[in-house]
């Protein structure tokens, strides 16, 4: 079962097809992560979205390993008896020895098997295993670090599971892929115990890098200068750092999610990754909607956001909602790392530019970042109640008017419009208008913050003076809670909200990959990223002119903060000057980049890493010839034929007309012609030839894969 040759992973074009199909009958894959069926971070999304592709490749020989969390299992996992006899014997033996290990199917696309380990049930072994860890690796874990304690328990139990599995030698070859430091100890123990397991370790973000960037240091210009042991010790994460570094050095194959993270890992973890694997961005393209309907979905979601805005700004709704742009930033509440500080400063400068240029555009910037709150803001809830009351009043008057009109027509008379509304109707409307009077400005925050006086976003808003006044052309809404369709305030799921916005802004200083701009791209929403994020670097490599496709790349690596802020302000101001038609054209172009982020492309990085690990762990069986990664160059999307996005140069290109968002011009455009010009330069995803696994996976999923490769 030799591997044909190694593949360059510096670019997508470097990932060529295998010369031979890879027979997986004699191998089994375990993918281990703390986020398996346990949503605590971005790795959960990575594993969830790529599960179908991996299940198609490995079929019955693919198992995800994660922690048992009862609340998650009740809603996400169907517990069943193990179908693999070797794994069943392994689980039964562990349970008989005082563990609690569960087996089931994760109820997501692909329906992968999951092995869930109850770490709390074996907490009685924690001290013994900590002592063993100290004796083996000289790593001491303090008693008060609960997360590290869980990592120790999870690591020893995972190594136990893999050790028992290997005793039976059926199948003979085991691949174990570990994600992040929380799962990394299992890898270290496998190598120390000399288990015949091909190991892969993927770091999605280094621990020390995240802490350093949060401390407002000049991180990227001083990577080679940090005393990593001292820095980790000063931040009381030295034991965690040691676990992460040990896993990186013990793995047969060490991978990162982007080139920028690879540079970081080389300096902080002291090992250069063998693979630069933008795996965290993959998206199952079947989740994206038909090309000819996503513009209508944007218009529908935008209308729902407008309804919220009508209530939030009641009494101060002195701007035209049809000329209102919705911008947003979302993610973990890391004020500097996520670039919220830069975004706010740029909004203040944008507000000045819009005012001095007498622009009729109004910008509403949403900050969707969870923080500590105790409830919704009363004024915010009142706004939605007032909006609903105004709507009910309008409906009541409309029904009364319609009834009088109907009665007038029945007797064959044209209605006297001046008599259609009586005093009672005017009284009802006046009372409704008086109810909209407001003595205060519309609130910045939708919730009551527990630490209002020290909140970074609110303090920055106070400094720049954007208080949603009538004179401001930029308004700010801080929603310190994840979006939900069950919310009484803004009842929208995150995906719906993104589709309704015009631009996602993610000027992050520390962003190993960047799932949020990737989601924007798949949904046809332009976004701003940086050259310090994996997503931004990936797009710069594969697109000749990212801006033309609605991917704005902000330079935060080679410019000072003020220069970067000016560049971001310029991006925002230029976007505000676009016409509606230009924005529609740009959204069409953005959506056409979806193929670039499909797991059918990026899943090949996983395949390449697994093949390399097998070749290193079992050199007598698997052959892998090193290949010069610089010998092939990546393909780059050319500039679209209709750049810049202007009516003059887009005469025969394409905004797809939506039902609720028509163009300002009367001329209709050929969407197919514009799409085809770009499509000839977009390589279609390659469907991997999986042997003897596809039917099994489909049987588990209950559907065929006939539509998996259909895009156009």
């Amino acid at each position: 079962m030799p591997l044909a040759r190694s593949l360059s992973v510096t670019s997508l074009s470097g990932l060529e097809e295998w010369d031979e199909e890879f027979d997986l009958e004699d191998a089994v894959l375990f993918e281990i992560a703390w986020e398996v069926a346990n949503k605590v971070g971005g790795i959960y999304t990575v594993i969830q979205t790529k599960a179908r592709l991996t299940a198609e490749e490995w079929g019955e020989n693919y198992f995800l390993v994660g922690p048992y969390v009862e609340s998650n299992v009740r809603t996400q996992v169907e517990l069943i008896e193990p179908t693999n006899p070797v794994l069943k014997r392994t689980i039964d033996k562990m349970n008989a020895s005082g563990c609690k290990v569960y087996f089931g199917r994760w109820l997501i696309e692909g329906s992968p098997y999951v092995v869930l380990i109850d770490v709390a049930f074996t907490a009685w072994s924690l001290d013994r295993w900590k002592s063993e860890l100290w004796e083996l690796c000289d790593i001491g874990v303090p008693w008060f670090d609960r997360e590290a304690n869980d990592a120790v328990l999870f690591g020893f139990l995972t190594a136990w599971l893999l050790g028992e599995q290997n005793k039976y030698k059926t199948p003979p070859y085991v691949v174990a892929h570990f994600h992040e430091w929380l799962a990394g100890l299992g890898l270290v123990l496998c190598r120390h115990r000399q288990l015949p397991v091909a190991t892969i370790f993927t770091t999605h973000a280094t621990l020390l890098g995240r802490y350093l960037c949060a401390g407002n240091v000049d991180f990227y210009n001083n990577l080679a200068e940090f005393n990593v042991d001292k820095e980790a010790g000063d931040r009381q994460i030295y034991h965690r750092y040691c676990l992460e570094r040990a896993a990186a050095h013990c793995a047969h194959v060490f991978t990162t999610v982007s080139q920028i993270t690879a540079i970081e890992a080389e300096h902080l973890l002291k090992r250069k990754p063998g693979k630069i694997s933008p795996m965290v961005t993959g998206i199952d393209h079947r989740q994206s909607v038909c090309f000819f309907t996503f513009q209508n979905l944007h218009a529908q979601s935008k209308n729902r956001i407008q309804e919220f805005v009508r209530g939030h700004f009641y009494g101060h709704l002195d701007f035209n909602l049809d000329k209102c742009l919705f911008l947003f930033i979302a993610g973990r509440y890391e004020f500097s790392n996520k670039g919220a500080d830069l975004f706010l400063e740029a909004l203040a400068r944008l507000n000045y530019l819009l005012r001095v240029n007498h622009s009729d555009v109004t910008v509403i910037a949403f900050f969707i970042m969870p923080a500590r709150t105790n409830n919704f803001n009363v004024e915010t809830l009142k706004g939605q109640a007032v909006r609903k009351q105004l709507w009910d009043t309008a409906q009541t008057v409309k029904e009364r008017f319609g009834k009088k009109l109907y009665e007038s027509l029945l007797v064959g008379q044209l209605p006297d419009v001046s008599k259609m509304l009586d005093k009672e109707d005017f009284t009802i409307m006046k009372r409704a208008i008086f109810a909209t009077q407001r003595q205060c400005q519309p609130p910045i925050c939708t919730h009551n913050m527990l630490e209002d006086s020290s909140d970074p976003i609110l303090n920055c808003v106070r400094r720049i003076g954007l208080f949603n006044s009538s004179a401001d052309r930029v308004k700010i809404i801080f929603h310190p809670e994840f979006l939900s369709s069950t919310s009484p305030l803004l009842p929208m799921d995150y995906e719906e909200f993104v589709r309704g916005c015009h631009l996602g802004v993610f000027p992050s200083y520390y962003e190993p990959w960047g799932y949020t701009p990737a989601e924007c791209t798949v949904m046809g929403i332009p976004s701003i990223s940086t050259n310090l994020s994996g997503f931004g670097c990936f797009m710069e490599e594969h697109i000749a002119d990212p801006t033309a496709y609605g991917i704005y790349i902000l330079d935060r690596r080679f410019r000072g903060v003020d220069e970067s802020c000016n560049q971001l302000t310029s991006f925002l101001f230029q976007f505000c000057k676009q016409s509606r038609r230009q924005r529609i054209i740009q959204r069409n172009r953005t959506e056409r980049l979806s193929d670039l982020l499909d797991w059918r492309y990026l899943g090949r990085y996983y395949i390449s890493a697994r093949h390399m690990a097998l070749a290193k762990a079992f050199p007598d069986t698997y052959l892998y010839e090193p290949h010069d990664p610089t010998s092939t160059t990546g393909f780059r999307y050319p500039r679209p034929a209709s750049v810049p996005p202007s009516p003059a140069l887009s005469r025969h290109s394409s905004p797809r007309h939506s039902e609720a968002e028509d163009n300002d011009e009367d001329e209709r455009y050929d969407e197919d012609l514009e799409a085809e010009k770009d499509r000839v330069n977009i390589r279609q995803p390659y469907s991997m030839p999986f042997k003897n696994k596809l039917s099994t996976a489909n049987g588990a999923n209950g559907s065929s894969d006939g539509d998996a490769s259909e895009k156009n």
Side-chain angles (χ1 to χ4, degrees), residues 442-462:
I444 298 293
C445 187
T446 58
H447 293 58
N448 295 320
M449 302 291 292
L450 289 180
E451 300 172 353
D452 182 285
S453 61
S454 60
D455 183 79
I457 288 180
L458 295 182
N459 279 339
C460 188
V461 169
R462 295 179 185 114

Side-chain angles (χ1 to χ4, degrees), residues 218-230:
D218 188 2
F219 180 67
Y220 292 99
N221 291 325
N222 293 285
L223 271 173
E225 310 300 326
F226 290 118
N227 183 336
V228 292
D229 293 320
K230 180 181 182 302

Side-chain angles (χ1 to χ4, degrees), residues 386-400:
V386 169
R387 178 194 61 78
K388 186 177 184 304
Q389 181 61 42
L390 289 175
W391 173 259
D392 292 341
T393 299
Q395 294 298 108
T396 300
V397 174
K398 184 178 74 171
E399 290 177 4
R400 292 164 61 93

